[in-house]
PDB file of all heavy atoms in Angstrom:
ATOM      1  N   ALA A  67      91.779 103.386 125.775  1.00 98.00           N
ATOM      2  CA  ALA A  67      91.982 101.995 126.182  1.00 98.00           C
ATOM      3  C   ALA A  67      92.545 101.154 125.026  1.00 98.00           C
ATOM      4  O   ALA A  67      93.472 100.363 125.211  1.00 98.00           O
ATOM      5  CB  ALA A  67      90.673 101.390 126.644  1.00 98.00           C
ATOM      6  N   LEU A  70      96.277 102.113 124.468  1.00 98.00           N
ATOM      7  CA  LEU A  70      97.117 101.565 125.527  1.00 98.00           C
ATOM      8  C   LEU A  70      97.267 100.039 125.348  1.00 98.00           C
ATOM      9  O   LEU A  70      98.369  99.491 125.513  1.00 98.00           O
ATOM     10  CB  LEU A  70      96.535 101.855 126.910  1.00 98.00           C
ATOM     11  CG  LEU A  70      96.666 103.347 127.323  1.00 98.00           C
ATOM     12  CD1 LEU A  70      95.825 103.594 128.599  1.00 98.00           C
ATOM     13  CD2 LEU A  70      98.125 103.744 127.556  1.00 98.00           C
ATOM     14  N   PHE A  71      96.176  99.367 125.004  1.00 98.00           N
ATOM     15  CA  PHE A  71      96.276  97.912 124.729  1.00 98.00           C
ATOM     16  C   PHE A  71      97.223  97.644 123.560  1.00 98.00           C
ATOM     17  O   PHE A  71      98.058  96.772 123.647  1.00 98.00           O
ATOM     18  CB  PHE A  71      94.880  97.312 124.462  1.00 98.00           C
ATOM     19  CG  PHE A  71      94.976  95.903 123.997  1.00 98.00           C
ATOM     20  CD1 PHE A  71      95.170  94.874 124.901  1.00 98.00           C
ATOM     21  CD2 PHE A  71      94.887  95.572 122.637  1.00 98.00           C
ATOM     22  CE1 PHE A  71      95.269  93.570 124.502  1.00 98.00           C
ATOM     23  CE2 PHE A  71      95.003  94.266 122.205  1.00 98.00           C
ATOM     24  CZ  PHE A  71      95.181  93.241 123.126  1.00 98.00           C
ATOM     25  N   VAL A 109     101.218  96.580 133.027  1.00 98.00           N
ATOM     26  CA  VAL A 109     100.507  97.689 133.673  1.00 98.00           C
ATOM     27  C   VAL A 109      99.785  98.562 132.612  1.00 98.00           C
ATOM     28  O   VAL A 109      98.749  99.149 132.900  1.00 98.00           O
ATOM     29  CB  VAL A 109     101.460  98.523 134.555  1.00 98.00           C
ATOM     30  CG1 VAL A 109     102.312  99.487 133.725  1.00 98.00           C
ATOM     31  CG2 VAL A 109     100.661  99.298 135.594  1.00 98.00           C
ATOM     32  N   MET A 110     100.332  98.583 131.418  1.00 97.00           N
ATOM     33  CA  MET A 110      99.693  99.325 130.359  1.00 97.00           C
ATOM     34  C   MET A 110      98.364  98.659 129.962  1.00 97.00           C
ATOM     35  O   MET A 110      97.359  99.338 129.728  1.00 97.00           O
ATOM     36  CB  MET A 110     100.597  99.450 129.138  1.00 97.00           C
ATOM     37  CG  MET A 110     100.283 100.617 128.244  1.00 97.00           C
ATOM     38  SD  MET A 110     101.574 100.956 127.015  1.00 97.00           S
ATOM     39  CE  MET A 110     102.840 101.708 128.021  1.00 97.00           C
ATOM     40  N   MET A 111      98.360  97.322 129.964  1.00 97.00           N
ATOM     41  CA  MET A 111      97.112  96.600 129.657  1.00 97.00           C
ATOM     42  C   MET A 111      96.093  96.849 130.793  1.00 97.00           C
ATOM     43  O   MET A 111      94.907  97.073 130.535  1.00 97.00           O
ATOM     44  CB  MET A 111      97.346  95.107 129.480  1.00 97.00           C
ATOM     45  CG  MET A 111      96.080  94.328 129.151  1.00 97.00           C
ATOM     46  SD  MET A 111      96.345  92.553 128.956  1.00 97.00           S
ATOM     47  CE  MET A 111      96.718  92.071 130.629  1.00 97.00           C
ATOM     48  N   ILE A 112      96.558  96.763 132.058  1.00 98.00           N
ATOM     49  CA  ILE A 112      95.648  97.010 133.173  1.00 98.00           C
ATOM     50  C   ILE A 112      95.066  98.436 133.103  1.00 98.00           C
ATOM     51  O   ILE A 112      93.854  98.632 133.339  1.00 98.00           O
ATOM     52  CB  ILE A 112      96.411  96.795 134.496  1.00 98.00           C
ATOM     53  CG1 ILE A 112      96.811  95.292 134.636  1.00 98.00           C
ATOM     54  CG2 ILE A 112      95.549  97.267 135.694  1.00 98.00           C
ATOM     55  CD1 ILE A 112      97.825  95.062 135.709  1.00 98.00           C
ATOM     56  N   LYS A 113      95.882  99.377 132.740  1.00 98.00           N
ATOM     57  CA  LYS A 113      95.409 100.762 132.629  1.00 98.00           C
ATOM     58  C   LYS A 113      94.366 100.877 131.538  1.00 98.00           C
ATOM     59  O   LYS A 113      93.400 101.674 131.630  1.00 98.00           O
ATOM     60  CB  LYS A 113      96.584 101.688 132.337  1.00 98.00           C
ATOM     61  CG  LYS A 113      96.224 103.159 132.168  1.00 98.00           C
ATOM     62  CD  LYS A 113      95.581 103.743 133.387  1.00 98.00           C
ATOM     63  CE  LYS A 113      96.539 103.894 134.540  1.00 98.00           C
ATOM     64  NZ  LYS A 113      95.901 104.700 135.648  1.00 98.00           N
ATOM     65  N   SER A 114      94.466 100.065 130.503  1.00 98.00           N
ATOM     66  CA  SER A 114      93.464 100.139 129.431  1.00 98.00           C
ATOM     67  C   SER A 114      92.109  99.752 129.967  1.00 98.00           C
ATOM     68  O   SER A 114      91.067 100.344 129.594  1.00 98.00           O
ATOM     69  CB  SER A 114      93.855  99.239 128.240  1.00 98.00           C
ATOM     70  OG  SER A 114      93.704  97.852 128.566  1.00 98.00           O
ATOM     71  N   TYR A 115      92.031  98.792 130.908  1.00 98.00           N
ATOM     72  CA  TYR A 115      90.751  98.405 131.483  1.00 98.00           C
ATOM     73  C   TYR A 115      90.227  99.500 132.415  1.00 98.00           C
ATOM     74  O   TYR A 115      88.986  99.636 132.567  1.00 98.00           O
ATOM     75  CB  TYR A 115      90.896  97.073 132.224  1.00 98.00           C
ATOM     76  CG  TYR A 115      90.862  95.906 131.287  1.00 98.00           C
ATOM     77  CD1 TYR A 115      92.054  95.303 130.851  1.00 98.00           C
ATOM     78  CD2 TYR A 115      89.670  95.372 130.821  1.00 98.00           C
ATOM     79  CE1 TYR A 115      92.048  94.218 130.010  1.00 98.00           C
ATOM     80  CE2 TYR A 115      89.637  94.310 129.958  1.00 98.00           C
ATOM     81  CZ  TYR A 115      90.831  93.728 129.527  1.00 98.00           C
ATOM     82  OH  TYR A 115      90.808  92.680 128.672  1.00 98.00           O
ATOM     83  N   GLU A 116      91.120 100.251 133.029  1.00 98.00           N
ATOM     84  CA  GLU A 116      90.651 101.361 133.879  1.00 98.00           C
ATOM     85  C   GLU A 116      89.887 102.399 133.038  1.00 98.00           C
ATOM     86  O   GLU A 116      88.894 102.967 133.476  1.00 98.00           O
ATOM     87  CB  GLU A 116      91.839 101.997 134.583  1.00 98.00           C
ATOM     88  CG  GLU A 116      92.422 101.134 135.693  1.00 98.00           C
ATOM     89  CD  GLU A 116      93.518 101.869 136.483  1.00 98.00           C
ATOM     90  OE1 GLU A 116      93.685 103.091 136.286  1.00 98.00           O
ATOM     91  OE2 GLU A 116      94.192 101.220 137.278  1.00 98.00           O
ATOM     92  N   TYR A 117      90.388 102.625 131.790  1.00 98.00           N
ATOM     93  CA  TYR A 117      89.707 103.574 130.938  1.00 98.00           C
ATOM     94  C   TYR A 117      88.330 103.034 130.495  1.00 98.00           C
ATOM     95  O   TYR A 117      87.365 103.762 130.329  1.00 98.00           O
ATOM     96  CB  TYR A 117      90.571 103.943 129.730  1.00 98.00           C
ATOM     97  CG  TYR A 117      91.530 105.057 130.033  1.00 98.00           C
ATOM     98  CD1 TYR A 117      92.861 104.781 130.390  1.00 98.00           C
ATOM     99  CD2 TYR A 117      91.114 106.368 130.088  1.00 98.00           C
ATOM    100  CE1 TYR A 117      93.770 105.802 130.684  1.00 98.00           C
ATOM    101  CE2 TYR A 117      91.993 107.415 130.354  1.00 98.00           C
ATOM    102  CZ  TYR A 117      93.306 107.118 130.688  1.00 98.00           C
ATOM    103  OH  TYR A 117      94.161 108.132 131.000  1.00 98.00           O
ATOM    104  N   ILE A 118      88.273 101.727 130.216  1.00 98.00           N
ATOM    105  CA  ILE A 118      86.985 101.142 129.861  1.00 98.00           C
ATOM    106  C   ILE A 118      85.994 101.307 131.001  1.00 98.00           C
ATOM    107  O   ILE A 118      84.803 101.568 130.775  1.00 98.00           O
ATOM    108  CB  ILE A 118      87.168  99.646 129.483  1.00 98.00           C
ATOM    109  CG1 ILE A 118      87.900  99.528 128.148  1.00 98.00           C
ATOM    110  CG2 ILE A 118      85.801  98.943 129.383  1.00 98.00           C
ATOM    111  CD1 ILE A 118      88.191  98.098 127.713  1.00 98.00           C
ATOM    112  N   ASN A 119      86.479 101.168 132.220  1.00 96.00           N
ATOM    113  CA  ASN A 119      85.607 101.292 133.388  1.00 96.00           C
ATOM    114  C   ASN A 119      85.093 102.726 133.602  1.00 96.00           C
ATOM    115  O   ASN A 119      84.198 102.936 134.434  1.00 96.00           O
ATOM    116  CB  ASN A 119      86.329 100.833 134.636  1.00 96.00           C
ATOM    117  CG  ASN A 119      86.359  99.301 134.768  1.00 96.00           C
ATOM    118  OD1 ASN A 119      85.496  98.628 134.213  1.00 96.00           O
ATOM    119  ND2 ASN A 119      87.381  98.795 135.454  1.00 96.00           N
ATOM    120  N   LYS A 120      85.667 103.683 132.903  1.00 97.00           N
ATOM    121  CA  LYS A 120      85.196 105.068 132.989  1.00 97.00           C
ATOM    122  C   LYS A 120      83.933 105.279 132.127  1.00 97.00           C
ATOM    123  O   LYS A 120      83.263 106.323 132.254  1.00 97.00           O
ATOM    124  CB  LYS A 120      86.283 106.031 132.539  1.00 97.00           C
ATOM    125  CG  LYS A 120      87.462 106.118 133.465  1.00 97.00           C
ATOM    126  CD  LYS A 120      88.461 107.170 132.996  1.00 97.00           C
ATOM    127  CE  LYS A 120      89.670 107.257 133.930  1.00 97.00           C
ATOM    128  NZ  LYS A 120      90.639 108.309 133.534  1.00 97.00           N
ATOM    129  N   LEU A 130      83.016  95.231 126.722  1.00 98.00           N
ATOM    130  CA  LEU A 130      84.015  94.377 127.430  1.00 98.00           C
ATOM    131  C   LEU A 130      84.138  93.005 126.766  1.00 98.00           C
ATOM    132  O   LEU A 130      85.227  92.473 126.645  1.00 98.00           O
ATOM    133  CB  LEU A 130      83.611  94.230 128.880  1.00 98.00           C
ATOM    134  CG  LEU A 130      84.163  95.234 129.859  1.00 98.00           C
ATOM    135  CD1 LEU A 130      83.542  95.065 131.261  1.00 98.00           C
ATOM    136  CD2 LEU A 130      85.711  95.166 129.954  1.00 98.00           C
ATOM    137  N   PHE A 133      86.056  93.488 123.510  1.00 98.00           N
ATOM    138  CA  PHE A 133      87.439  93.847 123.841  1.00 98.00           C
ATOM    139  C   PHE A 133      88.213  92.603 124.279  1.00 98.00           C
ATOM    140  O   PHE A 133      89.330  92.359 123.850  1.00 98.00           O
ATOM    141  CB  PHE A 133      87.454  94.927 124.937  1.00 98.00           C
ATOM    142  CG  PHE A 133      88.793  95.557 125.155  1.00 98.00           C
ATOM    143  CD1 PHE A 133      89.157  96.701 124.450  1.00 98.00           C
ATOM    144  CD2 PHE A 133      89.691  95.046 126.080  1.00 98.00           C
ATOM    145  CE1 PHE A 133      90.391  97.284 124.646  1.00 98.00           C
ATOM    146  CE2 PHE A 133      90.925  95.623 126.314  1.00 98.00           C
ATOM    147  CZ  PHE A 133      91.280  96.769 125.600  1.00 98.00           C
ATOM    148  N   ASN A 134      87.616  91.808 125.167  1.00 98.00           N
ATOM    149  CA  ASN A 134      88.302  90.614 125.691  1.00 98.00           C
ATOM    150  C   ASN A 134      88.512  89.572 124.605  1.00 98.00           C
ATOM    151  O   ASN A 134      89.573  88.944 124.510  1.00 98.00           O
ATOM    152  CB  ASN A 134      87.501  90.017 126.849  1.00 98.00           C
ATOM    153  CG  ASN A 134      87.602  90.864 128.099  1.00 98.00           C
ATOM    154  OD1 ASN A 134      88.511  91.659 128.268  1.00 98.00           O
ATOM    155  ND2 ASN A 134      86.626  90.698 128.994  1.00 98.00           N
ATOM    156  N   THR A 135      87.487  89.376 123.787  1.00 98.00           N
ATOM    157  CA  THR A 135      87.620  88.399 122.663  1.00 98.00           C
ATOM    158  C   THR A 135      88.728  88.833 121.719  1.00 98.00           C
ATOM    159  O   THR A 135      89.560  88.017 121.294  1.00 98.00           O
ATOM    160  CB  THR A 135      86.302  88.291 121.917  1.00 98.00           C
ATOM    161  OG1 THR A 135      85.281  87.782 122.794  1.00 98.00           O
ATOM    162  CG2 THR A 135      86.442  87.355 120.712  1.00 98.00           C
ATOM    163  N   ALA A 137      91.318  90.823 122.384  1.00 98.00           N
ATOM    164  CA  ALA A 137      92.621  90.711 123.045  1.00 98.00           C
ATOM    165  C   ALA A 137      93.127  89.287 122.982  1.00 98.00           C
ATOM    166  O   ALA A 137      94.317  89.055 122.728  1.00 98.00           O
ATOM    167  CB  ALA A 137      92.528  91.179 124.495  1.00 98.00           C
TER     168      ALA A 137
END
Side-chain angles (χ1 to χ4, degrees):
L70 288 171
F71 171 79
V109 78
M110 203 168 285
M111 180 180 69
I112 293 166
K113 179 60 70 170
S114 72
Y115 281 98
E116 289 186 8
Y117 275 98
I118 290 177
N119 282 334
K120 292 182 180 183
L130 269 172
F133 191 90
N134 288 338
T135 297

